Amino acid sequence: MFASTKARLGFAALACVLLAACGRPNVEDAEKAISRFDAMSPAAVLCNPNELGGFRSAVRRYAKAKQSHGAMWPDFTYKNMRPDDLTVTVLAGVYAQLISPRDLGKAAWHLAELSPDGVSWGAYSADVSYIGRPNPELLRNGAQFACGDLVEYSQALAEHQLGASYWQERIVKETMISNRPYAQKKALLDRATKRTQGDLRRVLRLERDLADAIDAKQLAQR
């Protein structure tokens, strides 16, 4: 009788595992659906309404599938200085207000850490010192009149924010809570500051280019 009870319990446990697995989205199918966008440029994905709708659907599906299996995607953490292209495209779409944070599931929790608002870490020189939250009017007009320029700007902003997060985490681990020699710490700080300032200069230049492109298109339509 004990053996029979043990067998029934084992069968019940197996059934629960199988039911839970059946209820989870299939990662392979979701990855196949989103992989077709991997070879496309951000502008080709985000500026084509037909492609954008399919991309948002694929993002929701893949994010849900990965997260249901204990993995985070999109991964906005500081593991890599330059994340995969799809992650950058997703974040650029969010910054351009072409993708809703709701599409990202639990990964949207990390967006607050990447909010482009206030003084940018590492940017302390006189000519590059501040990056503000993107102007909503600039984003709306960009989507209407100069989507390619909008996406290029948003992509640069996404790469800057992700890169700054990566460098900031390294600075904390390798200088603030590390016993490394001062020369090594200073070298890392100098390298991080140079990279983040270079990225930020690119963001500000592309922001100006976007504004100029919008003005030119509006002027041409008058």
Side-chain angles (χ1 to χ4, degrees):
M1 181 176 179
F2 176 75
S4 177
T5 301
K6 187 176 181 180
R8 285 198 299 270
L9 289 173
F11 178 77
L14 178 61
C16 289
V17 171
L18 291 175
L19 286 172
C22 290
R24 295 178 182 175
N26 187 290
V27 175
E28 292 183 1
D29 290 345
E31 187 172 10
K32 183 178 180 181
I34 202 171
S35 63
R36 80 176 188 87
F37 298 99
D38 209 3
M40 299 173 64
S41 69
V45 173
L46 299 174
C47 291
N48 184 324
N50 295 326
E51 295 292 359
L52 178 59
F55 182 63
R56 289 186 60 180
S57 177
V59 166
R60 287 193 297 270
R61 184 179 175 188
Y62 190 51
K64 183 178 180 180
K66 293 286 283 187
Q67 291 164 20
S68 70
H69 287 78
M72 186 61 68
W73 190 90
D75 185 0
F76 296 136
T77 58
Y78 33 76
K79 295 178 181 177
N80 299 305
M81 183 168 55
R82 286 288 182 265
D84 64 274
D85 292 340
L86 281 177
T87 295
V88 173
T89 298
V90 168
L91 187 56
V94 171
Y95 286 154
Q97 296 185 358
L98 299 172
I99 293 178
S100 170
R102 290 193 297 271
D103 295 338
L104 313 184
K106 294 179 181 179
W109 296 347
H110 298 282
L111 289 175
E113 304 168 9
L114 296 168
S115 176
D117 190 15
V119 176
S120 177
W121 180 87
Y124 300 121
S125 66
D127 57 329
V128 180
S129 60
Y130 179 82
I131 182 168
R133 189 181 298 274
N135 186 310
E137 184 178 1
L138 183 71
L139 298 181
R140 286 194 302 270
N141 289 337
Q144 181 178 357
F145 297 108
C147 188
D149 295 276
L150 171 64
V151 170
E152 189 175 4
Y153 157 69
S154 300
Q155 181 182 355
L157 181 58
E159 291 175 346
H160 170 266
Q161 294 298 112
L162 290 165
S165 178
Y166 164 84
W167 284 112
Q168 187 169 14
E169 179 64 16
R170 282 197 62 181
I171 293 300
V172 171
K173 288 184 176 180
E174 299 180 32
T175 65
M176 298 180 182
I177 56 175
S178 170
N179 294 323
R180 292 188 176 196
Y182 171 78
Q184 292 184 13
K185 294 180 178 181
K186 186 178 184 304
L188 179 62
L189 281 167
D190 291 345
R191 182 183 172 198
T193 301
K194 181 178 179 180
R195 291 297 298 267
T196 54
Q197 286 189 355
D199 287 345
L200 186 51
R201 288 189 180 91
R202 177 170 169 247
V203 171
L204 298 177
R205 174 178 58 79
L206 290 173
E207 185 179 38
R208 291 191 294 269
D209 290 347
L210 171 60
D212 291 343
I214 293 171
D215 289 343
K217 191 65 178 287
Q218 289 177 328
L219 184 62
Q221 291 185 356
R222 291 174 186 171

